[in-house]
Amino acid sequence: MSLQSTSVLVTGSTSGIGQSIAERFVAEGADVVVTGRDATRGRAVARWLDALGPGRCSFLAADLGTLDGPGRLAEAAEERLSGVDVLVNNAGIYKVDGAPLSAADFDEMMNLNVRGAHLLTTALLPRMAERGRGAVVNVTSPVAYRGYPGMAAYAATKGALDMLAKCWAAEFGKSGVRVNALSPGPVMTPGVEKLIGTGEEAPKDVLARTNLVAGRVATGNDISAAVLYLASPEAAYVNGSTLHVDGGMNGVGSLWGTNEDVP
């Protein structure tokens, strides 16, 4: 599908899933803004994606965990893109839910994963509604839909994103704006590697501790293709929904085999 003349803002897109999503939109001809806190890495990623074409890509530095960061990003992205058509709320962090999780770690996750997405989206949604079009995709997680040991706080942030998507869809749907959530299964991103390590055996380790009927770990392409669908006109009748792209984890699988397997 072609998304020429479509403007896209992807948060947390200088590595991992977010970068794969941005790359997919650029490949479809969209004008994309990638964001992150590391300006050096962000500019390098934007230059690389821009060279791939046929779409365009540029970088805006943003710290969505601060109070003013989301609003400043909304203003800058609106100006850079002459209006944001698609917003992908992908930025997020995971803190191990230890014994106990510190108040600082809890606040850091909530501020970035939930408050940042909320402030950014509520700054852009009214503008989308005024233009009579727009799509928002909140990237959640399988832990938002089933209980897993050691992940309560992180799961709460992802569950919040799921409900925000549904409420925004109800509020802005009649204005031509669609808001959905996407729950990706395990992908070998830097964040996952911090939990289980790197190397050739890492994907096998994930499979050994999960019950993925797909029999493999997801690729960035698996996730970006689903995000592209939700953001495109092909999904014009999809609003307030959650798409599980997780190899069967939510429907028939489980995240960790036993409590003892939790890293």
Side-chain angles (χ1 to χ4, degrees):
M1 63 189 74
S2 174
L3 290 179
Q4 291 182 0
S5 302
T6 300
S7 58
V8 183
L9 172 61
V10 185
T11 68
S13 45
T14 59
S15 66
I17 292 175
Q19 183 175 328
S20 295
I21 294 169
E23 181 178 351
R24 177 65 68 113
F25 277 107
V26 170
E28 296 297 332
D31 189 358
V32 180
V33 165
V34 297
T35 72
R37 289 176 290 189
D38 188 329
T40 300
R41 183 173 67 184
R43 293 190 185 100
V45 168
R47 284 194 298 270
W48 177 69
L49 293 179
D50 191 58
L52 293 179
R56 300 297 306 274
C57 187
S58 60
F59 171 74
L60 286 173
D63 186 350
L64 297 178
T66 63
L67 276 173
D68 63 345
R72 294 173 62 183
L73 176 60
E75 294 297 329
E78 279 281 301
E79 181 177 355
R80 176 73 58 84
L81 296 169
S82 298
V84 176
D85 297 319
V86 176
L87 168 64
V88 181
N89 284 313
N90 173 73
I93 55 173
Y94 171 68
K95 297 286 186 176
V96 176
D97 205 341
L101 182 73
S102 71
D105 283 345
F106 181 87
D107 287 346
E108 187 178 3
M109 273 198 296
M110 285 291 175
N111 291 345
L112 176 57
N113 297 10
V114 182
R115 188 185 69 189
H118 181 271
L119 292 177
L120 175 62
T121 308
T122 53
L124 293 174
L125 278 173
R127 305 180 192 205
M128 291 181 178
E130 288 178 3
R131 293 189 288 266
R133 68 183 189 279
V136 178
V137 180
N138 285 355
V139 178
T140 64
S141 165
V143 303
Y145 311 99
R146 305 174 76 173
Y148 298 106
M151 296 189 178
Y154 178 68
T157 69
K158 293 301 186 176
L161 284 177
D162 188 71
M163 287 309 304
L164 284 172
K166 290 175 171 55
C167 291
W168 287 331
E171 185 174 354
F172 291 93
K174 291 184 179 180
S175 300
V177 181
R178 298 182 300 103
V179 188
N180 293 287
L182 182 137
S183 174
V187 185
M188 292 307 296
T189 64
V192 172
E193 290 174 350
K194 286 182 180 179
L195 289 176
I196 66 172
T198 59
E200 295 181 0
E201 296 301 313
K204 296 179 182 179
D205 186 50
V206 172
L207 292 175
R209 292 188 291 174
T210 60
N211 186 22
L212 292 174
V213 295
R216 64 174 177 84
V217 175
T219 67
N221 284 335
D222 292 324
I223 310 307
S224 64
V227 173
L228 180 71
Y229 164 71
L230 288 177
S232 75
E234 300 296 322
Y237 205 59
V238 182
N239 204 4
S241 297
T242 300
L243 178 58
H244 297 273
V245 187
D246 58 12
M249 181 181 294
N250 183 71
V252 298
S254 61
L255 183 56
W256 306 111
T258 67
N259 287 5
E260 288 73 23
D261 289 330
V262 178

